[in-house]
């Protein structure tokens, strides 16, 4: 019976095709009921998958993938379709990727990017196109607020901002380490390191400290001898290094070789398995979360992440803050789509903005007037065995 049906159907189809070719009328068959259009939310993920900070991109993709997998590739009734893009940690590349994703791939939302210097220009493109964008990790204030101080309504982040991170570091240095003088080194072409350097200085001086040297360098510099000579002459009690791990590795090594054997501190940019743990043994940085936090959100995440991803030795991988925040950013977006019950950018951004105490790995999420979640910061201490000591958590 089945076979007969198949043959008849094949005949009907071929007749139809032939009839179509010949211009004659196709035999009338009852029209099949139109299949309901599948509801889809297409999400672009933008991260530095290659280039100078590629561990940031790898962790971000892992966090995103784990979140959509745990959600069963669904946000409410909407099927999640992901499009991945590599910005190579370069602002121009980032804008190209975002523009292509929006215009050609027709993504309806964006998760990313990682570095503030890339997320800032991408946010302009997304906001102008009414595409909700949420970065897990870009901490510079200019990501969600433009030069004139106007909030970009479609842009959100899952992390705290640098004024808070700078404040926490400055307080820790003055109150806990009890140090009174500091030198700061920063990359003058990178919004993140500029912003953090300024915020640390501001808060350190407010707390009674003195910044004896504030020196900048360029993105491609690798020899910091001249700068470090100037700094060493001022005899600072500590060095504040608000850059990404690859630069911090170079600077710290050269500073120690110069005899600048002082405590060093940095920001979230230190968080990488490729940090030089031996050189930076005992140093501190502010970060978004500690995998040692006992909250169930953290422990469930650490467990499922380790089941899905393995480290170089085949052991369960320990998620860094980049992975945790990409996971959080993705879940915030999925929740927005679910609550809005829509893939319309305007409805999604309204739903995200209205979230109130949404549970996430890095803390409960409610957005302030500038689309920033109010979050605590953790202070971690680098250990040469490639682990971190959890020093303390500081609330806003
Ligand atoms: N906060 C950094 C920036 O805005 C990015 C970053 C976040 C890097 C977390 C590492 C860990 O550029």
């Amino acid at each position: 019976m089945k076979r007969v049906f198949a043959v008849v159907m094949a005949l009907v189809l071929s007749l139809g095709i032939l009839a179509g070719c010949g211009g004659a009328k196709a035999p009338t068959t009852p029209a099949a009921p139109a299949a309901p259009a599948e509801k889809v939310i297409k999400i672009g993920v933008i991260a530095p998958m290659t280039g100078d900070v590629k561990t940031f991109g790898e962790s971000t993709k892992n966090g995103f993938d784990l979140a959509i997998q745990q959600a069963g590739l669904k946000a409410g009734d909407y099927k999640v379709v992901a499009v991945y893009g590599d910005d190579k940690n370069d602002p121009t590349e980032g804008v190209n990727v975002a523009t292509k994703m929006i215009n050609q791939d027709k993504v309806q939302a964006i998760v990313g990017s990682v570095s503030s210097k890339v997320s800032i220009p991408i946010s302009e493109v997304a906001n102008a196109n009414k595409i909700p964008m949420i970065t897990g990790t870009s901490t510079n204030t200019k990501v969600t607020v433009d030069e004139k101080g106007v909030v970009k309504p479609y842009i959100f982040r899952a992390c705290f901002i640098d004024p808070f991170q700078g404040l926490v570091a400055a307080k820790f240095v003055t109150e806990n380490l009890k140090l009174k003088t500091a030198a700061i080194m920063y990359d003058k072409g990178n919004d993140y390191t500029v912003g953090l350097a300024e915020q640390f200085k501001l808060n350190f001086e407010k707390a009674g400290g003195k910044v004896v040297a504030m020196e900048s360098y360029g993105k491609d510099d690798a020899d910091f001898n001249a700068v470090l000579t100037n700094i060493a002459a001022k005899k600072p009690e500590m060095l504040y290094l608000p850059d990404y791990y690859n630069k911090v590795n170079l600077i710290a090594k050269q500073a120690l070789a110069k005899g600048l054997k002082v405590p060093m501190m940095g920001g979230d940019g230190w968080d990488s398995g490729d940090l030089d743990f031996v050189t930076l043994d005992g140093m501190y940085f502010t970060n978004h979360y500690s995998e040692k936090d006992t909250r169930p959100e953290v422990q469930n995440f650490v467990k499922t992440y380790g089941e899905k991803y393995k480290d170089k030795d085949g052991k369960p991988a320990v998620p860094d803050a980049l992975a945790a925040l990409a996971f959080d950013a993705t879940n915030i977006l999925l929740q927005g789509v679910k609550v809005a019950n829509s893939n319309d950018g305007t409805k999604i951004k309204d739903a995200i903005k209205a979230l109130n105490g949404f549970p996430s790995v890095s803390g409960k999420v409610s957005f302030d007037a500038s689309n920033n979640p109010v979050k605590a910061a953790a202070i971690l201490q680098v250990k040469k065995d490639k682990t971190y000591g959890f020093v303390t958590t500081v609330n806003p």
Side-chain angles (χ1 to χ4, degrees):
M1 190 55 199
K2 253 194 190 149
R3 204 189 150 83
V4 174
F5 178 74
V7 170
V8 173
M9 276 311 287
L11 206 65
V12 169
L13 282 174
S14 56
L15 271 175
I17 289 163
L18 286 174
C21 291
K25 271 217 155 134
T28 41
T29 43
E38 197 179 20
K39 292 179 168 180
V40 167
I41 173 78
K42 211 171 194 189
I43 305 174
V45 188
I46 307 179
M49 297 306 303
T50 58
D52 57 350
V53 290
K54 74 177 166 54
T55 69
F56 290 172
E58 289 158 3
S59 295
T60 298
K61 181 172 186 299
N62 288 352
F64 173 86
D65 284 345
L66 180 61
I68 62 170
Q69 181 191 321
Q70 276 187 1
L73 298 180
K74 285 279 210 173
D77 293 340
Y78 286 76
K79 184 178 156 196
V80 174
V81 174
V83 180
Y84 300 92
D86 177 11
D87 64 40
K88 306 188 171 88
N89 201 31
D90 179 82
T92 311
E93 284 284 344
V95 167
N96 291 344
V97 171
T99 308
K100 182 189 159 279
M101 277 183 173
I102 294 171
N103 294 338
Q104 289 176 30
D105 301 321
K106 309 276 180 217
V107 301
Q108 293 142 319
I110 290 175
V111 171
S113 181
V114 172
S115 297
S116 294
K117 66 172 179 178
V118 181
S119 293
I120 293 168
I122 292 180
S123 72
E124 300 292 336
V125 180
N127 195 55
N129 284 281
K130 299 189 161 58
I131 299 290
M133 159 177 152
I134 175 156
T135 164
T137 48
S138 293
T139 43
N140 189 281
T141 48
K142 286 180 282 181
V143 175
T144 61
V145 177
D146 71 14
E147 293 290 347
K148 294 188 196 119
V150 179
V151 177
K152 304 171 203 173
Y154 288 82
I155 314 299
F156 298 86
R157 75 179 103 220
C159 49
F160 54 60
I161 52 175
D162 289 332
F164 177 62
Q165 190 169 201
L167 168 73
V168 169
K171 280 185 112 180
F172 179 72
V173 172
T174 47
E175 290 172 16
N176 298 57
L177 301 182
K178 307 215 181 297
L179 303 176
K180 295 251 175 309
T181 61
I184 304 173
M185 280 176 71
Y186 65 98
D187 175 349
K188 57 178 177 289
N190 182 324
D191 301 280
Y192 162 71
T193 107
V194 172
L196 210 42
E198 284 168 354
Q199 290 297 330
F200 177 82
K201 180 171 191 289
L202 186 85
N203 289 295
F204 188 63
E205 289 175 346
K206 256 194 210 162
K210 191 165 185 263
V211 175
V212 293
M214 179 129 174
E215 301 271 354
S216 69
Y217 50 83
K219 157 173 151 308
D220 298 317
D221 291 357
D223 180 352
F224 301 96
N225 262 299
V227 170
L228 287 166
T229 302
N230 289 344
I231 289 179
K234 308 261 173 66
K235 300 204 179 348
E237 289 172 302
M238 66 89 56
L239 209 49
Y240 188 60
L241 303 175
D243 205 338
Y244 305 137
Y245 64 92
N246 56 334
K247 266 291 144 63
V248 171
N249 289 346
L250 290 174
I251 297 173
K253 212 172 199 148
Q254 294 177 28
L256 292 175
K258 269 240 142 10
L260 256 171
K261 296 196 170 72
V262 293
M264 298 178 201
M265 185 159 191
D268 52 354
W270 286 29
D271 192 9
S272 170
D274 285 352
L275 185 78
D276 183 344
F277 286 77
V278 173
T279 299
L280 289 153
D281 183 41
M283 308 304 182
Y284 303 95
F285 67 105
T286 42
N287 207 6
H288 303 269
Y289 104 120
S290 161
E291 84 276 1
K292 299 197 175 100
D293 191 328
T294 52
R295 280 188 304 118
E297 287 88 357
V298 176
Q299 288 314 313
N300 288 338
F301 170 67
V302 171
K303 182 167 167 283
T304 50
Y305 191 92
E307 282 162 5
K308 186 169 163 72
Y309 305 107
K310 304 295 165 204
D311 66 13
K312 286 173 198 143
D313 307 322
K315 295 209 197 81
V318 178
D320 56 19
L322 287 296
L325 289 168
F327 181 82
D328 286 351
T330 308
N331 280 320
I332 290 167
L333 174 61
L334 297 182
Q335 181 71 5
V337 174
K338 188 173 162 184
V339 172
N341 190 24
S342 173
N343 55 14
D344 175 76
T346 304
K347 292 190 180 141
I348 296 171
K349 72 110 169 100
D350 288 342
I352 293 176
K353 181 92 183 178
L355 290 177
N356 189 1
F358 181 67
S360 79
V361 174
S362 55
K364 288 197 171 21
V365 173
S366 310
F367 290 98
D368 70 9
S370 302
N371 293 355
N372 301 317
V374 183
K375 291 265 188 73
I379 294 177
L380 305 184
Q381 186 173 32
V382 179
K383 304 257 179 204
K384 59 174 176 288
D385 66 355
K386 288 201 133 210
T387 61
Y388 302 114
F390 175 49
V391 182
T392 183
T393 301
V394 183
N395 287 304

